[in-house]
Amino acid sequence: MDNVFAFGAASGQAGRVDALFLVIAVIGFFFFFLTQGILIYFAVKYRRRRPDRDNETPSITGNPLLEFLWILIPTLVVVFIFYYGWRVYTDLRVPEAGATEVHVNARQWMYEIKYADGRTAINEIRVPASKPVKFILSASDVLHGFYLPDFRVKMDMIPGRITTLWLQPDRPGQYQIFCTVYCGTGHSNMLAQLIVMPPHEYAEWVEHGGRDEAGERGEPLHERGERVVKRAGCLSCHAVEGKEKIGPNFRGLFGSKVPLEGGQSVTADEEFLRESIVDPGAKVVKGYPNVMPTFKTTLTPEEVEAVVEYLKTRK
Amino acid sequence: MESIGQTGTDRHDRGYLAERGWRSWAFTLDHKRIGAMYLWTTIAFFLIGGLFALLLRLELLSPQTRYFSNHAYNVFFTLHGSMMIFLFIIPAIPSGLGNFFIPLHIGARDVAFPRLNLASYWIFAAGFLVIIGSLVAPMDTGWTFYTPYSAKSAAAVTTLSLGLFLVGLSSILTGLNFLVTIHKMRAPGMTWHRMPLFLWSMYATSIIQVIATPVVGVTFLLLAAERLLGVGFYDPSKGGDPVLFQHFFWFYSHPVVYVMILPAMGIISEVIPVFSRKPIFGYNAIAYSSLAIAFLGFLVWGHHMFTSGMSPLANTIFSFLTFFVAVPTAVKVFNWIATLYKGSITLESPMLYALTFIFLFAVGGLTGPFLGALATNVQLHDTYFVVAHFHYTMMGGTVMGFFAGLHYWFPKMTGKMLNEKVARLAWALIFVGFNVTFFTMFIVGTRGMPRRYAEYLPKFHTENVISTIGSVVLAAGILLMCWNFLQGLRKGAPAPANPWRALSLEWKAASPPETENFHEIPVVTAWPYGYGTTKA
């Protein structure tokens, strides 16, 4: 599926965009080889052979017919490309009826997902295959982007405005979502996944309330915490170890002495970690920007507890 | 033109360079010295901006940030973009080569307002000093300053806006000066249609500078008001609109891409006839297409905003208008190629760069329709495809045109000849390095890699490594070219007044020209492209 120039189109719309791309590419290559071929041919054929006869080149200063043709032909070609591009674009913009609606709000540096029935998620959107999906996009702080390369679509996410985007995934799979409007330090870590599920699996997932296999029997709390950390987008800003991202690293955090803004310091115990998740502005670690959003509503108290247990294992 | 090679004075004295000492430069009213100061300054910023580009390419060797933090990477691409755009590519050809050659081309002793011209340079200098001052809290907003991020950023956005405001003011004054100069100072007999095409393109450029630049000045003032006074022009919580900033910004910054490219096109129109020994093909078409591009350039800014939530109708209209910019541009390319027909062509370095301009600019131009067409724009916008496209037009186009001009006019400006062998070697490195660096970006962009990413998915690794290797070759070529310029300045062979046997008026002045250019104001009786079999 992955070839040099593109990747497999994941929807019928994307296939039509690829067809347009290909047509423009063929036209482009044709005119490139035509003009540059003539240029190189002339440069070789008419290279100076007799310096003494330099002054005998013909005095050609123009040709009205040629000028007319090379105004007319490019005009026709570009009008055609415009028209073709506009037709495909119209398909991209007008949603099919009965689309599943998913609300996506962007903030530095995560996507907050809200489904019609009130379920929420972070950085992970689940939709059924073969049904149209409409994304209702907004942003809380600065401009963000919502780009699905496999579907050949993107839309900006703008504070104070609602923008929309729709697509109809052909088949199940996991597809990348990128932020494409520069939004600050964590811009390139602002990634999400679109998980397209077979319709029956999706129905089952909706039944279970969308909290992915929450509290499976016998699963240790810290393992569940690890899953929550991945799902909630914590890793966009917190590295486990190695080079620091936006916030403090996870390894060695629990139990350490943490200096705070304002000069005090505190031991990173269970309560400090819990508070830092549900009310991050309360105690800001010295030297880090106060940009983390609260997870009070996006995570249940049990999930927060699981995350704390996970952090305790990162010694 | 029976007197080719004997016109002007072949004295190898230092001409306008005779006077020494910093005062003779800082307070000079000579358009040639002011042009030379612009050239030194802009080339210095070109090299600094290029250094930032190399740091970006170094970091992109690995998918995870390795050498710098994400923030440092963001600062580097912001500085690379803003220095290259505002301190190099906008002023380099108009204010540098334009200042030097507009009066010489029209047979005048100077520009219309020499003191204003000097003021332009010093306002520009004040601007770049303020910009350098803003580095205490370096910008990380990208060169486009999109709000609300730029309104909230802790960086010295306000200081930088002030610096850019000054640079813009300098640009307006220079444009105004050139417009009046071209209207009022032409030598007797120099009708509009006997003007070298470089002047037509500089005329079109100056119109854009005078009309468009005030808009960006206002935009920056509003941004400063938002940051300092809390006026919410762009803040939705106060009834403003962040997209308004984009409209203002591109209303200037789109026309200004023609400020960048038109002067380079003017240089190509000068160089090709000289090295083909043929009259330029389609003089009127090339001249008027410059004006058409300047006009159309004001109507297409919305094509930077197809995914910004603008209405589909507005998107459609902007897309339609955008495509028409392609027509006058294509007309120029066809006419240049037709000029080669039955010529007597030599490939000295100015001609090599001019043909390279046509070649690379064709790639940039023909990848434009992918971005002008709505559906493919939605796919490719804000990916590396766009980065590749504008580097092919701006670097493959404008910078190659600038290099063509530097090699073409080096003997005139300095009175010294360049080492042609070294010049060609540098050209080969630049040509190969450029294509390896930037063609790869078309591929990685089509595969979906977004721009302005400090870290990227491992599947884009190969392309990024290739691109970085290309950038090293490109940098080596540019350094070699600069070394050749310095060697030429120090110990180049003395240049005759007219080494290329060209017919435009600057070659009738000495190399380097005297302070007031001409002993006697020349009387013009023919157009400057009468090469080959003599014909009126």
Side-chain angles (χ1 to χ4, degrees):
Chain A
M1 216 183 267
D2 225 344
N3 60 47
V4 178
F5 274 103
F7 22 53
S11 69
Q13 301 163 300
R16 286 197 289 283
V17 175
D18 286 357
L20 169 66
F21 187 99
L22 214 62
V23 167
I24 301 176
V26 168
I27 293 172
F29 275 110
F30 173 77
F31 280 101
F32 181 77
F33 286 116
L34 179 75
T35 55
Q36 305 313 306
I38 294 173
L39 178 124
I40 292 166
Y41 175 74
F42 282 176
V44 174
K45 181 165 161 71
Y46 299 118
R47 68 187 182 280
R48 179 177 302 170
R49 292 208 177 78
R50 301 276 312 268
D52 53 314
R53 299 181 66 180
D54 250 3
N55 291 334
E56 294 172 28
T57 56
S59 177
I60 306 166
T61 57
N63 180 324
L65 178 65
L66 273 177
E67 298 290 349
F68 173 74
L69 282 180
W70 63 44
I71 290 173
L72 181 71
I73 293 170
T75 305
L76 295 177
V77 171
V78 295
V79 167
F80 165 73
I81 298 176
F82 157 75
Y83 175 76
Y84 190 2
W86 172 70
R87 283 302 300 271
V88 180
Y89 174 74
T90 310
D91 282 356
L92 287 176
R93 291 307 306 166
V94 182
E96 276 183 25
T100 314
E101 295 194 343
V102 182
H103 293 256
V104 184
N105 182 62
R107 64 165 70 239
Q108 289 171 319
W109 289 278
M110 58 165 68
Y111 295 96
E112 299 167 332
I113 320 299
K114 200 183 261 177
Y115 297 95
D117 60 6
R119 284 168 301 138
T120 61
I122 289 169
N123 290 351
E124 189 185 278
I125 307 174
R126 287 171 186 268
V127 295
S130 313
K131 276 187 69 180
V133 190
K134 183 177 173 187
F135 296 102
I136 297 163
L137 308 172
S138 59
S140 300
D141 38 30
V142 300
L143 298 172
H144 296 278
F146 191 76
Y147 172 37
L148 291 132
D150 301 277
F151 297 89
R152 317 287 191 262
V153 288
K154 75 166 63 67
M155 183 47 92
D156 293 2
M157 305 169 83
I158 304 159
R161 273 197 196 196
I162 287 175
T163 52
T164 59
L165 183 72
W166 84 277
L167 49 86
Q168 178 162 347
D170 278 348
R171 53 186 174 277
Q174 189 163 340
Y175 303 99
Q176 185 67 47
I177 299 170
F178 292 106
C179 178
T180 41
V181 181
Y182 176 69
C183 59
T185 311
H187 173 53
S188 63
N189 303 114
M190 190 160 162
L191 308 173
Q193 300 291 324
L194 178 71
I195 298 173
V196 177
M197 307 170 83
H200 62 277
E201 274 181 35
Y202 178 76
E204 204 172 310
W205 176 76
V206 171
E207 276 299 288
H208 286 295
R211 295 226 168 264
D212 57 324
E213 314 94 51
E216 268 179 60
R217 67 257 140 233
E219 186 189 25
L221 206 51
H222 66 86
E223 279 182 20
R224 184 177 168 202
E226 185 167 8
R227 279 194 294 111
V228 175
V229 161
K230 282 181 185 153
R231 176 169 61 80
C234 309
L235 302 175
S236 302
C237 298
H238 298 274
V240 176
E241 60 190 322
K243 209 161 156 158
E244 286 203 337
K245 291 183 174 176
I246 316 285
N249 277 3
F250 283 161
R251 187 173 295 281
L253 179 58
F254 180 76
S256 65
K257 197 88 171 159
V258 184
L260 298 180
E261 287 293 342
Q264 288 161 314
S265 64
V266 67
T267 303
D269 55 10
E270 284 92 344
E271 173 53 20
F272 171 76
L273 294 176
R274 188 198 65 80
E275 187 188 43
S276 298
I277 296 170
V278 298
D279 187 7
K283 297 192 180 88
V284 179
V285 183
K286 195 172 175 58
Y288 296 92
N290 181 13
V291 292
M292 181 168 156
T294 172
F295 284 78
K296 202 170 191 165
T297 51
T298 35
L299 299 182
T300 64
E302 300 85 67
E303 285 172 326
V304 173
E305 203 186 330
V307 171
V308 173
E309 287 307 310
Y310 162 73
L311 293 177
K312 285 163 78 174
T313 64
R314 303 293 102 181
K315 296 201 179 73
Chain B
M1 282 289 154
E2 71 292 342
S3 54
I4 291 170
Q6 299 158 17
T7 50
T9 48
D10 270 349
R11 289 161 34 198
H12 299 308
D13 57 19
R14 289 174 49 84
Y16 76 102
L17 296 166
E19 229 181 315
R20 287 168 198 271
W22 69 272
R23 278 165 191 280
S24 74
W25 285 91
F27 302 114
T28 182
L29 298 179
D30 185 342
H31 66 99
K32 297 183 290 299
R33 286 187 163 224
I34 294 170
M37 290 199 290
Y38 269 114
L39 283 177
W40 280 106
T41 315
T42 52
I43 290 172
F45 282 114
F46 173 63
L47 295 177
I48 298 169
L51 184 68
F52 284 118
L54 288 176
L55 293 177
L56 295 174
R57 288 310 329 164
L58 172 69
E59 181 55 73
L60 290 172
L61 274 176
S62 75
Q64 300 294 313
T65 45
R66 180 187 289 173
Y67 305 102
F68 310 111
S69 68
N70 289 32
H71 177 71
Y73 180 89
N74 297 343
V75 167
F76 291 162
F77 76 65
T78 302
L79 292 176
H80 167 69
S82 12
M83 283 192 175
M84 286 298 197
I85 297 277
F86 295 111
L87 300 180
F88 166 62
I89 207 163
I90 293 177
I93 302 184
S95 302
L97 293 174
N99 241 320
F100 204 107
F101 287 102
I102 287 175
L104 282 161
H105 262 167
I106 60 174
R109 297 200 189 280
D110 209 312
V111 293
F113 307 113
R115 282 187 176 78
L116 188 68
N117 200 18
L118 182 64
S120 294
Y121 179 79
W122 285 112
I123 293 169
F124 177 71
F128 75 67
L129 288 174
V130 172
I131 291 170
I132 290 169
S134 78
L135 293 181
V136 290
M139 288 270 291
D140 68 334
T141 63
W143 80 274
T144 49
F145 307 90
Y146 274 14
T147 56
Y149 188 70
S150 61
K152 297 178 177 187
S153 169
V157 177
T158 315
T159 316
L160 189 84
S161 310
L162 176 68
L164 292 176
F165 189 85
L166 291 169
V167 170
L169 178 61
S170 145
S171 180
I172 296 170
L173 296 179
T174 301
L176 208 62
N177 212 339
F178 288 172
L179 284 179
V180 177
T181 305
I182 293 171
H183 268 279
K184 304 301 286 183
M185 309 279 287
R186 282 171 287 133
M190 171 74 78
T191 60
W192 284 89
H193 291 94
R194 285 180 188 161
M195 290 201 311
L197 287 161
F198 180 66
L199 288 179
W200 278 96
S201 70
M202 284 307 308
Y203 187 78
T205 304
S206 302
I207 291 174
I208 304 174
Q209 282 178 303
V210 170
I211 295 177
T213 317
V215 179
V216 82
V218 170
T219 313
F220 286 137
L221 283 188
L222 295 184
L223 182 60
E226 177 142 349
R227 290 177 62 91
L228 295 175
L229 309 172
V231 188
F233 297 107
Y234 311 125
D235 181 354
S237 65
K238 293 174 183 160
D241 185 350
V243 182
L244 178 67
F245 178 88
Q246 299 179 28
H247 280 286
F248 281 164
F249 182 81
W250 290 115
F251 185 83
Y252 163 75
S253 295
H254 193 77
V256 96
V257 307
Y258 304 108
V259 168
M260 305 175 201
I261 195 68
L262 280 170
M265 291 172 156
I267 291 171
I268 305 309
S269 305
E270 293 306 306
V271 169
I272 287 189
V274 173
F275 292 88
S276 312
R277 313 311 301 168
K278 274 275 308 294
I280 190 85
F281 191 93
Y283 175 96
N284 286 347
I286 295 179
Y288 291 116
S289 63
S290 292
L291 297 181
I293 290 172
F295 173 71
L296 286 167
F298 278 100
L299 306 179
V300 300
W301 78 91
H303 71 218
H304 297 269
M305 301 167 57
F306 286 155
T307 67
S308 73
M310 210 162 52
S311 79
L313 176 65
N315 283 345
T316 304
I317 294 168
F318 277 121
S319 168
F320 183 72
L321 292 171
T322 295
F323 275 105
F324 286 92
V325 179
V327 177
T329 314
V331 164
K332 281 181 190 284
V333 171
F334 293 140
N335 279 300
W336 290 326
I337 294 174
T339 304
L340 301 174
Y341 176 66
K342 292 199 171 173
S344 174
I345 298 168
T346 51
L347 296 178
E348 278 104 345
S349 47
M351 185 63 163
L352 271 181
Y353 280 110
L355 297 180
T356 306
F357 171 103
I358 299 177
F359 187 87
L360 298 179
F361 187 74
V363 178
L366 290 167
T367 49
F370 292 96
L371 298 169
L374 284 166
T376 35
N377 177 286
V378 169
Q379 175 195 355
L380 299 168
H381 179 66
D382 273 333
T383 68
Y384 263 85
F385 191 95
V386 177
V387 179
H389 166 72
F390 70 70
H391 278 93
Y392 265 90
T393 52
M394 291 294 113
M395 180 152 193
T398 306
V399 177
M400 293 306 143
F402 181 55
F403 290 171
L406 287 178
H407 285 84
Y408 178 56
W409 282 317
F410 191 88
K412 181 54 58 185
M413 293 189 287
T414 64
K416 304 282 178 63
M417 295 302 286
L418 282 173
N419 181 330
E420 185 59 26
K421 271 190 188 139
V422 180
R424 287 182 197 203
L425 178 62
W427 166 83
L429 288 171
I430 290 170
F431 182 78
V432 172
F434 176 86
N435 283 298
V436 173
T437 308
F438 292 106
F439 197 83
T440 325
M441 292 186 187
F442 282 122
I443 296 166
V444 80
T446 309
R447 293 186 62 214
M449 180 168 166
R451 61 193 284 206
R452 298 178 166 176
Y453 264 34
E455 301 186 83
Y456 55 89
L457 298 186
K459 67 174 177 178
F460 303 129
H461 193 195
T462 315
E463 288 95 332
N464 277 286
V465 172
I466 294 172
S467 194
T468 300
I469 294 169
S471 70
V472 174
V473 178
L474 176 58
I478 287 171
L479 288 180
L480 184 61
M481 183 188 76
C482 291
W483 181 80
N484 195 30
F485 286 152
L486 292 178
Q487 288 296 99
L489 266 178
R490 284 179 54 224
K491 44 187 176 188
N498 193 357
W500 314 120
R501 300 178 300 140
L503 298 178
S504 45
L505 288 180
E506 79 269 33
W507 303 105
K508 297 201 179 205
S511 295
E514 300 293 327
T515 300
E516 292 203 321
N517 300 344
F518 303 102
H519 293 293
E520 266 174 63
I521 294 293
V523 175
V524 181
T525 53
W527 73 332
Y529 301 107
Y531 301 101
T533 319
T534 317
K535 185 187 150 192

